[in-house]
């Protein structure tokens, strides 16, 4: 990209731009923990190289009359030692003239924080891996001369708005329409805080439990979380309101897209409990629902339904100061249909020559609820858990499901103020 160039944001980005706030900053964090202490000067140089290889993120977001737009900037992000909570604010009045991502480090860990309007987890993970690649090349030039940890996609493919490209006006079944669902009870943390937890366990052990229930790992984790929420529901509504788990789906798995921008939809898996459920049966049910929701024709219809508003001229001509409150209203309405979120980023694979240098990966996403980001590397399954609630009872139920099955769990947490 050349300086002065600008382009429109995608439809998902419009939601994030309209609905961010001090608590739910609409940011996400991806981390890579090395097996040696991070050299900050080398990391800064690696980031400089990476910013030229992925210029799609070197932008400032501005408000236009009808929509936001992104303008290419020559500014650069300065690497800093970690100094604030995960998923910090990266967009807003105080960030005019700034890029909307940051890179920090602490000990052996490298953190990439991104405002979600820039990209999704897939794009962010590739960006982080290119930073790691360039860092290792600078530190060990003789060992990594031919190292590549990215897709190799052309520039035009990387900046593509895939929602618009693959829009096709389909009229099929858009899948489950989420109605009003149970909302986790209890006071939220004061001062717009979120608390973050990181749980590590064996991929093999958890996958074995999922296979016992005849389900995928994603369906199994959704079932464990739903059951953990159900156990804390008030008795009077336990059999009345569904527990609904939202699951983001990477649309690159369904379309030939290599975009570095947002390209995902969310699906909803829900269940009204009657008290007879167990994890095995619930996971099998969730797996069946998940398969229905990710059927190609359903994914296509859902994506087209989400995109079609962009193609109505009357909506396109409504000023931004009117559109934003409307988007916020419908976003809050959608949030009322979700009890919690599970986002399975999936298995992270790196070249064999890199493995001796990497210990683990992790991910988090800001939320106004309970959000679990799942990543796996080698045999390390990591849950990055963000929660806005004072109570940790649902989380305790979730973790105890694994420990009661003989699975070892290592759990860490950030500190918060509860008064």
């Amino acid at each position: 990209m050349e300086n002065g160039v600008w382009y429109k944001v995608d439809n998902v980005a419009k939601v994030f731009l309209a609905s961010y706030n001090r608590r739910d900053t609409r940011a996400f964090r991806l981390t890579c923990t090395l097996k040696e202490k991070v050299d900050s000067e080398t990391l800064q140089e690696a980031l400089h190289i990476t910013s030229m290889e992925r210029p799609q993120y070197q932008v400032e977001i501005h408000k236009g009359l009808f929509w936001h737009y992104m303008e290419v900037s020559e500014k650069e992000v300065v690497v800093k030692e970690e100094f604030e909570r995960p998923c910090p604010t990266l967009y807003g009045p105080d960030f005019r003239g700034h890029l909307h991502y940051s890179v920090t480090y602490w000990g052996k860990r490298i953190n990439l924080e991104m405002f979600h309007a820039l990209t999704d987890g897939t794009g962010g993970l590739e960006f982080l891996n290119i930073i790691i690649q360039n860092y290792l090349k600078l530190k060990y030039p003789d060992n990594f001369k031919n190292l590549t940890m990215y897709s190799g996609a052309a520039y035009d493919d990387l900046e593509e708005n895939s929602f618009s490209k693959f829009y096709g006006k389909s009229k099929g079944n858009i899948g489950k329409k989420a109605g009003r669902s149970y909302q986790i009870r209890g006071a939220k943390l004061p001062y717009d805080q979120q608390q973050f937890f990181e749980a590590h366990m064996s991929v093999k052990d958890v996958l074995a439990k999922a296979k016992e229930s005849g389900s995928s790992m994603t369906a199994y984790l959704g079932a464990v979380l739903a059951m953990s929420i159900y156990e804390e529901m008030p008795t009077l509504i336990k059999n009345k309101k569904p527990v609904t788990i939202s699951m983001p789906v990477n649309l690159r798995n369904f379309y030939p897209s290599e975009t570095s921008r947002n390209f995902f939809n969310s699906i909803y898996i829900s269940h009204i409990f009657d008290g007879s459920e167990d994890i095995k049966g619930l996971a099998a049910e969730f797996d069946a629902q998940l398969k229905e929701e990710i059927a190609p024709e359903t994914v296509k219809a859902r994506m087209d339904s989400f995109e079609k508003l962009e193609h109505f001229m009357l909506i396109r001509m409504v000023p931004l100061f009117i559109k934003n409150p409307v988007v916020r209203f419908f976003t809050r309405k959608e949030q009322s249909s979700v009890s919690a979120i599970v986002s399975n980023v999936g298995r992270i694979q790196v070249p064999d020559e890199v493995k001796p240098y990497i210990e683990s990966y992790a991910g988090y996403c800001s939320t106004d609820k309970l959000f679990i980001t799942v990543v796996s590397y080698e045999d390390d399954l990591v849950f990055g858990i963000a929660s806005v609630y004072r109570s940790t009872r649902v989380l305790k139920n979730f973790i105890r499901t694994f420990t009661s099955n003989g699975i070892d769990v290592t759990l860490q947490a950030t500190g918060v103020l509860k008064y």
Side-chain angles (χ1 to χ4, degrees):
M1 288 184 179
E2 298 178 0
N3 195 38
V5 173
W6 65 273
Y7 59 95
K8 295 189 298 182
V9 299
D10 57 70
N11 271 349
V12 171
K14 292 170 186 175
V15 174
F16 294 134
L17 286 160
S19 61
Y20 81 95
N21 55 58
R22 289 178 58 185
R23 189 193 297 274
D24 186 0
T25 59
R26 297 297 195 168
F28 64 84
R29 166 184 283 201
L30 292 166
T31 78
C32 179
T33 301
L34 304 178
K35 292 185 178 179
E36 60 184 23
K37 191 173 181 180
V38 174
D39 180 330
S40 60
E41 292 184 2
T42 304
L43 181 58
Q44 181 69 67
E45 189 176 354
L47 178 58
H48 172 72
I49 296 169
T50 305
S51 69
M52 293 186 288
E53 295 175 340
R54 284 294 181 271
Q56 293 79 13
Y57 306 131
Q58 315 308 311
V59 295
E60 299 173 37
I61 301 175
H62 302 290
K63 287 184 178 180
L65 178 59
F66 300 107
W67 288 118
H68 292 86
Y69 64 94
M70 296 181 178
E71 183 177 21
V72 175
S73 174
E74 292 184 348
K75 295 182 175 68
E76 292 196 19
V77 167
V78 177
V79 170
K80 297 178 181 179
E81 192 170 46
E82 186 175 355
F83 62 97
E84 59 184 338
R85 70 166 226 193
C87 309
T89 300
L90 292 168
Y91 173 78
D94 295 335
F95 285 81
R96 293 193 180 105
H98 291 263
L99 302 183
H100 305 290
Y101 73 90
S102 68
V103 176
T104 62
Y105 66 95
W106 184 266
K108 299 184 293 182
R109 187 179 60 215
I110 297 172
N111 308 308
L112 171 66
E113 321 263 10
M114 303 195 81
F115 183 43
H116 221 320
L118 295 182
T119 188
D120 53 23
T122 300
L125 181 59
E126 183 184 53
F127 191 46
L128 174 62
N129 275 338
I130 300 174
I131 295 172
I132 302 303
Q133 162 195 289
N134 289 325
Y135 178 86
L136 292 174
K137 282 185 174 181
L138 290 168
K139 285 278 287 183
Y140 307 100
D142 293 334
N143 295 352
F144 298 104
K145 292 180 180 179
N146 300 314
L147 175 62
T148 56
M149 293 172 66
Y150 54 90
S151 66
Y155 168 78
D156 288 345
D157 293 329
L158 291 168
E159 71 164 0
E160 173 185 273
N161 182 345
S162 291
F163 287 108
S164 179
K165 177 179 179 179
F166 295 107
Y167 173 66
K169 300 183 180 180
S170 62
K171 298 180 180 180
N173 174 26
I174 63 171
K176 185 185 294 294
K177 294 182 179 180
R180 192 166 183 81
S181 298
Y182 174 71
Q183 303 297 300
I184 296 174
R185 300 288 183 90
K188 292 185 177 181
L189 292 164
Y191 314 118
D192 296 317
Q193 295 178 99
Q194 293 188 61
Q195 188 165 23
F196 297 88
F197 304 84
E198 186 171 304
H200 293 253
M201 57 194 77
S202 166
V203 172
K204 293 177 182 177
D205 290 347
V206 178
L207 192 57
K209 298 306 296 183
K211 288 182 177 179
E212 283 182 17
S213 65
S215 70
S216 67
M217 181 179 286
T218 300
Y220 177 75
L221 297 178
V224 172
L225 180 57
M227 186 71 81
S228 301
I229 294 171
Y230 167 73
E231 290 171 0
E232 300 303 324
M233 289 177 70
T235 301
L236 288 176
I237 61 173
K238 273 194 171 185
N239 309 126
K240 296 179 180 179
K241 287 190 175 182
V243 174
T244 301
I245 307 299
S246 174
M247 296 180 177
V249 173
N250 181 8
L251 293 176
R252 297 170 186 81
N253 294 330
F254 301 89
Y255 296 92
S257 170
E258 295 183 291
T259 184
S260 64
R261 301 170 68 180
N262 284 297
F263 196 41
F264 73 95
N265 275 162
S266 292
I267 63 174
Y268 304 96
I269 308 298
S270 65
H271 181 82
I272 298 178
F273 286 83
D274 62 19
S276 65
E277 296 84 358
D278 58 21
I279 292 295
K280 184 176 180 180
L282 187 60
E285 179 192 324
F286 273 26
D287 192 67
Q289 289 189 44
L290 186 59
K291 287 175 180 175
E292 289 181 6
E293 293 295 307
I294 62 174
E297 61 276 9
T298 305
V299 171
K300 172 65 175 171
R302 186 187 300 114
M303 191 199 76
D304 288 347
S305 175
F306 183 78
E307 176 69 12
K308 69 179 179 181
L309 292 177
E310 174 72 10
H311 297 267
F312 285 122
M313 182 57 68
L314 289 178
I315 293 178
R316 292 169 66 181
M317 297 306 295
V318 173
L320 187 60
F321 72 88
I322 297 176
K323 282 176 183 167
N324 273 349
V326 174
V327 172
R328 282 193 291 271
F329 171 78
F330 282 103
T331 300
R332 286 195 296 269
K333 185 177 179 181
E334 182 182 9
Q335 288 175 337
S336 72
S337 67
V338 174
S339 306
I341 305 97
V342 174
S343 178
N344 190 352
V345 177
R347 181 184 177 192
I348 298 173
Q349 300 185 44
V350 301
D352 289 341
E353 62 264 39
V354 175
K355 291 179 181 178
Y357 297 85
I358 293 180
E359 185 174 297
S360 66
Y361 284 86
Y364 305 89
C365 193
S366 71
T367 186
D368 195 41
K369 296 180 181 290
L370 178 65
F371 196 124
I372 301 180
T373 304
V374 185
V375 302
S376 62
Y377 171 71
E378 299 291 274
D379 192 43
D380 186 27
L381 182 66
V382 184
F383 300 146
I385 305 167
S387 173
V388 300
Y389 302 104
R390 285 174 176 264
S391 172
T392 58
R393 288 193 295 269
V394 171
L395 176 59
K396 288 178 181 177
N397 295 340
F398 182 76
I399 296 299
R400 284 173 179 169
T401 301
F402 300 101
T403 57
S404 65
N405 282 288
I407 298 174
D408 292 331
V409 179
T410 300
L411 184 66
Q412 301 170 325
T414 60
V416 291
L417 296 174
K418 293 191 176 181
Y419 55 86

